[in-house]
Amino acid sequence: MSIIDIDEVRGWAEAAGRLALQHFNHVAGHRKADRSYVTEADVAIERQLVAQISARYPDHGILGEEQAKTNLDREFVWAVDPIDGTASFVAGLGSWCISIGLVRNGQPYFGLIHMPTLGDTYHAAVGEGAFLNGQPIHVSQPDAWEGETWLATPATLHRSFELDFPGKTRVLGSTAAQMCYVARGSALAALLVNAYPWDVAAGLVIVQEAGGAVVPLDPATPTGGTALDGGWLHQPVLVAAPDQIAPLRQAFRRR
C-alpha cells in the first residue's frame, strides 16, 4: 500500500501499547457523559497518536474517541480508539487493544489493531488480505456448530436476547478484539452492540479482508451512510463468514 507506511503505523501502535502498559493495573477510570469509561491513558495515547498522524499526514482528517475531530470531510480520515475496551483495562483484564483505522471517501480502507498484553498485531488493507503478526488469516466456515464453537458477545447479552446455540459464548469487552478473533477464525462470530466509528473502522477492513461480513442482526435495518456516520452500527451487528449469517440470525431472539 503506497499511500501509507504500514510499518510506521505498526510502530505508532506498539509505542501506544507500551504507554498503555505503564498505566495498566494501576489506573482509575472516570465515567463520561455516555457512562463509558475514560482514563488518563486513553487521553495520553490519543494525543500521541493524533500528533504522529498530523505530522505525517497533515492533509488527512482525524476522528478520535476522546477528543480529536478534525477535517472529517477529507478524502482520508483516521479513526482512532486509543484503548478499545477501557472497562476491561480498568478492571485489569487483558482483552483491550489499540485500534487505528483509515477511511477513504467514507469507506474502510486500512486497519491495524494491536493487543499489547499479547503482543499481537492484526492489519489489513483493501484488496491485500488480512494478517496476524504477518501471517494470513481467514474467518471460520464450519459445516456444523459444535460444543467448542464459540461466539464473542456483549456482557449484557442476557438482558436483551435469548440464544439457541450449542457452543459457548465469551465476553472479551472490546469491540475491536471481538472482530479480530472472528477474522482469525477463532470465534465463529461476534455480536456487536452500540458500536461507534472509532470502534470498528480498523476491524471492518480486517474482517472483510479475512473473508467475513459485518451486517445488522435484523436484516430489515437500513445500512446507508459511511463508516464515519453509519447509524446502523448502533444497532446489534453480526460479524461472521457470509454463509454463517442466516443461521446466526435465527439463533438470536429478542426477549
Side-chain angles (χ1 to χ4, degrees), residues 41 44-45 53 58-60 79 107 112 121 125 143 147 209 216 225 234 239 241 251:
I45 291 168
I53 294 169
D59 295 331
H60 291 190
Q107 300 304 313
L112 187 143
T121 301
D143 294 329
E209 287 297 312
H234 297 311
V239 182

Side-chain angles (χ1 to χ4, degrees), residues 109-145:
Y109 185 71
F110 167 78
L112 187 143
I113 295 172
H114 178 57
M115 298 181 177
T117 60
L118 297 174
D120 285 342
T121 301
Y122 298 77
H123 83 271
V126 170
E128 297 185 11
F131 301 87
L132 165 58
N133 298 330
Q135 299 301 310
I137 55 176
H138 199 277
V139 295
S140 176
Q141 297 175 284
D143 294 329
W145 300 342

Side-chain angles (χ1 to χ4, degrees), residues 24-25 85 87-96 117:
F24 187 46
N25 272 329
S88 294
F89 182 79
V90 171
L93 302 174
S95 54
W96 48 273
T117 60

Side-chain angles (χ1 to χ4, degrees), residues 181-250:
Y181 278 95
V182 174
R184 68 183 284 176
S186 178
L188 172 73
L191 180 70
L192 313 181
V193 294
N194 203 32
Y196 289 88
W198 47 80
D199 296 319
V200 300
L204 284 169
V205 189
I206 293 169
V207 168
Q208 290 166 358
E209 287 297 312
V214 182
V215 298
L217 177 62
D218 182 352
T221 301
T223 57
T226 71
L228 297 178
D229 63 14
W232 64 274
L233 291 169
H234 297 311
Q235 304 300 317
V237 171
L238 279 174
V239 182
D243 64 356
Q244 302 295 313
I245 296 296
L248 284 165
R249 280 174 165 159
Q250 295 179 1

